[in-house]
Structure formats: C-alpha cells, structure tokens
Amino acid sequence: MLVRILVVSGFLGAGKTTFIQELVRRTGQDVVIYENEYGEADVDARRLRDDSDLKVWESVENCICCSGKQDFASSVLTISNTLDPTFLVVEPTGVAKLGNVMDNLTQVSWERIELLPPVTIVDAQSWQNQRRRQGEIFDDQLRAAGTVVVSKVRAVDDADPVAALVRELNPKAQVVGHPYGELPDAWWASLLETADGRRGRDSRSKVEGNETLDETPELETLALDHAELPSPSHLLWVLDALSAGVFGHLARAKGSLPCGGQWLRFDLVERAWAVTGDAAASDAPTESHCVFIGDDLKRSWLREVFVPALWRDVAEIRHEHHHDHEHHHE
C-alpha cells in the first residue's frame, strides 16, 4: 500500500501539535505521527498520546534535517513496513530546515512512499521576533512550504503581514489565516489528497551517509523532571519573570507540573504565555516534566525555582545540551 507523508513544519511554539490534532480529528484518517523533538524532551509526543489514541513514533536524539537524517530514513521505512499507515505525519523540531527535511525524504529508498506538499505553521503573534533571531531557518520553512497556515489569529488582518512575506518568498504557496473552526472539512482533507510529485527513490537506491556539518551552537535546552511549585500564583509569577528575560532569553518553555493542590500546564513562546489545567495529570498523577529552550539560560536559577531541593541532583534529564540549527550543507 502507498504511504503518503505530510510534513508539518513551523518555528518553536507555532502550534504544530495543535494543528496535527485538528487534522486527524477533521479527516478521521489512519495516521501515524513521527515526532522529532530533538531538545524538546518529548513534551508534545506525551500530549499527543494523552489527548488521543494516535500512534506516535518519537525521535529525541537528533534533528532530522541534518545529523539525524539517516536514522530518520530508517525510521520512515520501519514505520511504513510495520505499522503500514495510510498517512505518516512528520513533525520536525521547530528549528529544523524544512527544505532539508524534504530533501532527506526524497532519498528514502522505497518506491511506495509519496510526499504531500508540506505545511508550515506561522505564529501570528511571534513570527517577527522569530524571524529576526533565526531568519535563515524561518525563511526556509516558508520557501519550502506548499501551504502556510497562520496560527493564533486574533483579528481579521493578523495574517496579512505573513501573507505579504509569503508572496515575496514563495508566491506559489497557499496562505490560510482563519481559525481552524472556520475551515471546512474539505480543506483539511485536501492536505492529504494532493501529491507534490515527489516519491521515494527506486528501491535499488540508497540513502547517502551524513555530510560533515559546520555547526555553531545556537540554542540551549534545559529539561527538568520533578518540577513543582507551591501554588498557581507562583507559576504566574515565574512565567512573568521568564517572559521578561530574568532567566535568559526564552524562545520556548512548556511543561506540566503540580502547583499546590492542582496540576497545571504552561506554554511560553517568546514573551507570550498561557496556563491551563492539566486534567489528565490530575486524574492520574504522573512525573512532572518541563523544558526551556533559548539563549544564555540561567540554568541553576531555573533548577532552584522549579525543583525542590530534595530532587535537584537528579532533576535535569538527558536532553541538556546546546543545539546547532545554523546548518551549512555542502
């Protein structure tokens, strides 16, 4: 059976996971999700599993647009052969180059794979700061997209500046700037119907080895387990401090943790943040999990604020490292 692959790209915090959940809900198709949360410590993969019965395949060790491309190719083949889905939806990490992801997919050595035009999600509220800080990656995600979806639209004209930029960089791309509830089911279905003309290579071809990458560390990640705060008010105070730069420049922070007698989920993108109740964790308490991505992170401060002294020696999990996403491919 032919496996169609849809890549859903977008910068950190643009809303890729929310978009994928809505896509699956509106189309009702047989979908496997490939989550590449390199440095994001599988927070979104947990969310997908908690919110639905979707089949989720995780990769958290390498970025699939560069150093992890060979593992990516192997995973795609394994998913296709073992799970045999009708559709495979790939969600790269927020600072992956979409053009490289698509190029890597065309090298997968299986002729029964067909690529769909990729989707890029753009945050209507934060895109200008993101483009200023990571312009090369941001523009690549627009240039390689078949459809650009503007998320977090609050007013009718919120999507206009993004649409103007897309017309400049990628005039063939479709731009959609409406709340998801206003988009008809037929539009969602169309994302899974139109192939972009690219297929996997002939089964006799092979995926090439990794090139040597010229890498300069750009973003740090700190992922913490055992986080908790005394009350919801403490979390609000901390999020205000995070958005103000007290703990370094945060491009993204997210997590779920107990705050007094209740579990809360927080999500910060640049200077904007939101807090919701985490009903799933409240009903079946689990280990708290928070991740912080940015520049010049005050790691010890974050650890002291979020993690009780009893747990600080073991709270920082395996995803602490610097990332390079300013890739230069020969």
Side-chain angles (χ1 to χ4, degrees), residues 8 15-28 31 33 35 44-54 89 91 180 188 265:
V8 178
K16 299 186 295 296
T17 300
T18 299
F19 179 86
I20 290 171
Q21 289 175 310
E22 186 69 7
L23 173 69
V24 174
R25 187 180 73 82
R26 298 289 287 275
T27 62
V31 173
I33 313 297
E35 278 277 341
D44 285 337
R46 292 184 184 197
R47 178 180 160 196
L48 283 168
R49 285 195 304 269
D50 289 344
D51 291 349
S52 68
D53 58 359
L54 289 173
V89 176
E91 181 183 346
Y180 296 163
W188 294 94
R265 176 178 290 169

Side-chain angles (χ1 to χ4, degrees), residues 2-8 23 86-89 98 102 105 113-119 144-147 188-199:
L2 186 68
V3 178
R4 288 187 162 186
I5 300 179
L6 175 67
V7 179
V8 178
L23 173 69
T86 305
F87 297 97
L88 173 62
V89 176
L98 176 56
M102 298 303 292
L105 278 169
I113 287 174
E114 184 172 65
L115 304 186
L116 299 165
V119 175
T147 299
W188 294 94
S190 71
L191 298 176
L192 302 178
E193 292 171 354
T194 306
D196 73 349
R198 285 180 285 189
R199 298 175 72 109

Side-chain angles (χ1 to χ4, degrees), residues 249-276:
H249 176 265
L250 270 296
R252 186 81 193 277
K254 54 186 175 179
S256 176
L257 73 166
C259 298
Q262 61 182 302
W263 278 79
L264 297 176
R265 176 178 290 169
F266 69 90
D267 198 330
L268 179 146
V269 181
E270 296 291 336
R271 298 181 64 85
W273 53 263
V275 175
T276 60

